[in-house]
Amino acid sequence: MPTTPTAHHQDTPWHALPASDIATHLATDVHHGLPHAEAAQRLIQHGPNQLPAPPRRPAWRRLLAQFNNVLIYVMLVSAVITAALGHWIDTGVLLGAVIVNAILGFVQEGKAESALDAIRRMLSPQTTVLRGGERQQIAAEQLVPGDIVLLASGDKVPADLRILSAKSLRADEAVLTGESVPSDKNEDPVAEDAPLGDRRGMLYSGTLVAAGTAVGAVAATGTRTELGRISALLAQVETGTTPLLRQIAHFSHWLAGAILVFVLATFAIGVLWRGQAPGDMFLMAVALAASAIPEGLPAIMTVTLALGVRRMARHRAIIRHLPAVETLGSVTVICSDKTGTLTCNEMTVQRAVTAGRVYEVTGSGYAPQGGFQVGGMDASPAGDPVLQGMARAALLCNDSALHQGAEGWTLTGDPTEGALLTFALKAGLDGPATHEALPRIDAIPFESEHRFMATLHHDRASEDGQALILLKGAPERVLDMCDSQATTRLGAQEPAALDHDYWRRAANDCAARALRVLAVAVKRVPARQSTLSWQDMEGGFTLLGILGSMDPPRPEAMAAVAECHSAGVRVKMITGDHGETARAIGAQLGIGLGRPALTGAEIELMDDDALREVVDNVDVFARASPEHKIRLVQALQARGEVVAMTGDGVNDAPALKRADVGVAMGRNGTEAAKDAAAMVLADDNFATLGAAVREGRGVYDNVRKFILFMLPTNGGEALVVFFAIAFALQLPLTAAQVLWINLATSGTLGLALAFEPTESDVMQRPPRDPRDSLLSGLFVWRIFMVSLLMAGAALGLFLWELERGASLETARTVAVSTVVAAEMFYLLSSRHVLRSALTREGLLGNPQVLLAMAACAMLQLAFVHAPWLQAVFGSTDLAPDEWLRVLLAGALVFVVAELEKWVLRRWDRVRPAARTAP
């Protein structure tokens, strides 16, 4: 025997090679395995069967990286300015928000870096091999190419194996392929270009043996396995920033430039044109900069996102990365896995066909809830002895078991057999009583070679103690073993001539609906028979009927898909399952209707440019590999889409990481998928994702509402000072008073908008274009209009008071109070961009707004009347008539803002993007 394999690199198409040639290619002995010395040599050559730990950044570098953010820069600049002016409360709030944000990001990033650890944990710790002719247990990391591995039901596959021999072998490969039922496996080769899910002769590392036994030769270990390839793919995936952070970065740069120009112009006009003292103007310029910088925006964003996290948690959507809250609101395409997300991940019998009737079976999942219908009308299963016979065969010719626990019904065994058990219970059978009346004597287990299972039962209820052979299997195989069919006559079951055409049509009809079809039959034998032989299977069976089962769509997922479509969010299904199954499920969910489906093999033939061209016109993708999923996400992102990707398997992890929002399943998802995702659905339900999109849109609305409130208020303060300097007037506001307004308004009023409830029509709007600016044309106009109103009201009353002979301090106190009152009234109007605030909901819908206004009013009363604040800010007491003018000026801003919204609604002269505003 050669001492080294002739070929063992990862590009060898092991699945296409005959099993008889594998030993030669891997230089091994099928019956004795590798000699110990050879195994040790190969371990040195190939390395241990494990995935290497990725390089990690030190904790201090990850912590510092949290400060590399435009929003953080804005907050730090604001903190420096407020500290230079001695405004320590503002400074403390800003620095506190910076530290909290950094800690949150640091903790979340630490969790995200565990994705590769989760994949490594999927490797089996121990396995059984042949070494030197002896059967022994070794650590899986000691496996090398050429090792002969022995597997039985329940074992985790420790490496990529080429099957040499198998008996009734089935493997659960959902973590790699997304298929909802275990795959049949055997030693036969397949085509070299067969997709992963169709490689029947291979077992892959990290998957599970669902049934049967196998002997396999190790073809690849460690990084050369399919699991290792996905791990390397995950490490290479780069994540992008979120749409809101991109918008905020652009907005912050634009605003910083505008503030700088405005402050420099104000300083130059005051010093060079109006002859103000440079020192006084510098202090005023700094105050203007502090008032114009949106120092409240990062804090409001953090609070708004945190509140969004809390609301989503109530919907069982767990957010792992804070910016994902808002990104959900900007999603334009949801790429969803099929199994467990759009479907129940529980096989269900949906159709039962007898010789005389076609029954539709209602209900989904393993819970025996539902019934039978014929032609849309309810039908009693007790009145059909043939249906009862089918249910009895489904219950008894079965090796699985259902259990009812605190969390509902769970299955031990094969999903298809679980569906048969539920079907029998829906038909009214008592499981324990039926088993007791018809005890199993012998059985022929299911094997892929003969495609049926048979069991022998003694009927204790019959007078002559007859025995029954119950049979279930592939329709074409069972039909060949039957020579009659069961019919109902005078309320009893009678045999009749077998109608082959009828049953073939019925089977084809079920298959066209993507149902997995099983035929069930019965044969009576003498009571003395106690064993089953192959001669018993040669004929004489009476066909009871056929059963069609599938993993059905979740009812709530159908409604959620429809809601997403009405909200302008496209839903695409990307699955590793077969194309026919994917298309049928998609049609039931309303995904891909009238559109072609695309398979992984077809994707493989396209370059990136071609894929970008077709990806928009296809909604169902089948037999997709991890690389295909990443390419599809990237193709959609290249078209300007914001993509959410759902998944549960390790094969989904790279695409989850690459998507704008990765969404993992909390109940049935792998740890690798959860760690790569930004959000986890605790109930594995697509409807939860729809609710999260709704909340995300609400979060974005609240951020925009805050900007629409903040900029006019800051702009109004700045314009008051600018006009006074430009027209050589007395300064209506001092630098300290400008900072007071920021503290009293931004610190109390703006925060209330973070608590705004989500608008009722938010899911009737199309998704926003992620390339749009935060400031639409409507927003720019509103900011300009309200800024002028506030500045005009404050400056007008300031000059009025001076004209009446009031002191400069009193006039300034009136101006400050006017700005604060205008902001309080404008806060009510800011709750809705276009809707009227003059409704019960508009005035009282957010209790936090009323509390904020009350707190702001108390602070302003203290500013005006508290002696110690008068000493600090130079304010004076105001008379009742002065307060009345202040309140009327503030109300004027509210009235004009509401009139402007009324005009826009009335004339409908708003840009399309603005018309979708709340």
Side-chain angles (χ1 to χ4, degrees), residues 543-620:
L543 183 66
L544 295 171
I546 62 174
L547 298 170
S549 60
M550 72 182 309
D551 180 12
R554 293 174 178 263
E556 61 272 28
M558 297 183 191
V561 168
E563 184 182 36
C564 287
H565 286 163
S566 70
V569 179
R570 292 274 298 279
V571 180
K572 296 180 182 290
M573 186 166 69
I574 306 177
T575 177
D577 216 334
H578 289 281
E580 296 77 13
T581 304
R583 278 190 287 269
I585 293 292
Q588 293 186 45
L589 288 161
I591 300 174
L593 292 173
R595 292 172 177 264
L598 201 65
T599 66
E602 293 169 319
I603 295 173
E604 202 70 46
L605 299 175
M606 298 180 183
D607 59 22
D608 291 342
D609 291 336
L611 188 59
R612 273 196 299 271
E613 291 299 317
V614 303
V615 71
D616 195 48
N617 297 317
V618 179
D619 290 336
V620 175

Side-chain angles (χ1 to χ4, degrees), residues 226-276:
E226 284 294 317
L227 208 60
R229 184 178 60 81
I230 294 174
S231 175
L233 194 62
L234 181 62
Q236 296 167 8
V237 173
E238 296 181 1
T239 55
T241 185
T242 69
L244 179 62
L245 291 182
R246 290 194 294 267
Q247 287 180 315
I248 291 291
H250 177 74
F251 168 73
S252 299
H253 291 138
W254 173 86
L255 188 60
I259 291 171
L260 181 62
V261 171
F262 180 75
V263 169
L264 291 176
T266 303
F267 181 83
I269 290 172
V271 173
L272 302 178
W273 186 14
R274 295 305 182 186
Q276 297 283 347

Side-chain angles (χ1 to χ4, degrees), residues 711-786:
L711 289 187
T713 56
N714 287 7
E717 300 164 27
L719 286 179
V720 167
V721 177
F722 177 78
F723 287 148
I725 294 172
F727 295 106
L729 304 174
Q730 290 276 6
L731 287 176
L733 306 172
T734 66
Q737 288 170 345
V738 169
L739 291 172
W740 164 261
I741 294 173
N742 281 354
L743 175 64
T745 58
S746 296
T748 56
L749 297 178
L751 186 61
L753 292 173
F755 294 87
E756 275 293 301
T758 302
E759 302 282 344
S760 59
D761 65 343
V762 71
M763 292 301 280
Q764 276 73 59
R765 307 181 213 152
R768 74 179 192 270
D769 189 334
R771 294 163 294 190
D772 283 351
S773 170
L774 276 172
L775 297 181
S776 64
L778 171 65
F779 273 40
V780 172
W781 155 249
R782 180 78 55 79
I783 291 165
F784 177 72
M785 180 194 74
V786 177

Side-chain angles (χ1 to χ4, degrees), residues 510-531:
C510 288
R513 300 168 186 261
L515 299 175
R516 291 174 64 91
V517 187
L518 284 176
V520 290
V522 62
K523 179 179 180 180
R524 293 191 176 275
V525 294
R528 63 180 179 275
Q529 182 168 336
S530 59
T531 61

Side-chain angles (χ1 to χ4, degrees), residues 686-904:
F686 184 86
T688 302
L689 180 56
V693 170
R694 175 186 175 87
E695 293 295 343
R697 289 190 174 189
V699 166
Y700 182 73
D701 279 353
N702 291 349
V703 171
R704 293 188 81 208
K705 289 174 185 177
F706 175 75
I707 291 173
L708 192 59
F709 168 76
M710 173 195 66
L711 289 187
T713 56
N714 287 7
E717 300 164 27
L719 286 179
V720 167
V721 177
F722 177 78
F723 287 148
I725 294 172
F727 295 106
L729 304 174
Q730 290 276 6
L731 287 176
L733 306 172
T734 66
Q737 288 170 345
V738 169
L739 291 172
W740 164 261
I741 294 173
N742 281 354
L743 175 64
T745 58
S746 296
T748 56
L749 297 178
L751 186 61
L753 292 173
F755 294 87
E756 275 293 301
T758 302
E759 302 282 344
S760 59
D761 65 343
V762 71
M763 292 301 280
Q764 276 73 59
R765 307 181 213 152
R768 74 179 192 270
D769 189 334
R771 294 163 294 190
D772 283 351
S773 170
L774 276 172
L775 297 181
S776 64
L778 171 65
F779 273 40
V780 172
W781 155 249
R782 180 78 55 79
I783 291 165
F784 177 72
M785 180 194 74
V786 177
S787 296
L788 283 178
L789 283 173
M790 288 187 178
L795 193 56
L797 282 184
F798 172 76
L799 294 176
W800 173 290
E801 294 298 328
L802 290 179
E803 185 69 24
R804 292 178 62 248
S807 66
L808 178 61
E809 289 75 14
T810 298
R812 283 176 170 169
T813 304
V814 168
V816 171
S817 299
T818 300
V819 172
V820 172
E823 293 183 4
M824 290 171 62
F825 279 101
Y826 179 57
L827 177 65
L828 285 174
S829 184
S830 298
R831 290 195 58 226
H832 300 295
V833 178
L834 287 178
R835 291 182 186 173
S836 173
L838 296 173
T839 64
R840 178 180 177 85
E841 190 280 331
L843 296 174
L844 305 176
N846 183 357
Q848 302 295 332
V849 166
L850 301 179
L851 290 174
M853 292 175 67
C856 184
M858 296 298 294
L859 286 171
Q860 190 58 27
L861 284 171
F863 172 87
V864 173
H865 297 293
W868 65 278
L869 286 176
Q870 290 176 344
V872 173
F873 293 103
S875 57
T876 61
D877 293 317
L878 295 182
D881 62 320
E882 291 168 329
W883 271 118
L884 179 61
R885 286 190 289 274
V886 165
L887 292 175
L888 288 174
L892 177 65
V893 174
F894 174 81
V895 170
V896 174
E898 287 302 302
L899 279 174
E900 180 248 6
K901 289 197 286 187
W902 178 81
V903 170
L904 291 175

Side-chain angles (χ1 to χ4, degrees), residues 53-54 56 113-122 675:
R56 295 189 182 275
E113 288 193 353
S114 62
L116 296 180
D117 289 336
I119 295 179
R120 284 194 298 276
R121 288 194 296 270
M122 293 185 67
D675 287 333

Side-chain angles (χ1 to χ4, degrees), residues 164-179:
L164 301 176
S165 63
K167 184 175 180 61
S168 304
L169 183 63
R170 307 186 78 193
D172 182 351
E173 297 181 322
V175 294
L176 286 180
T177 66
E179 289 196 62

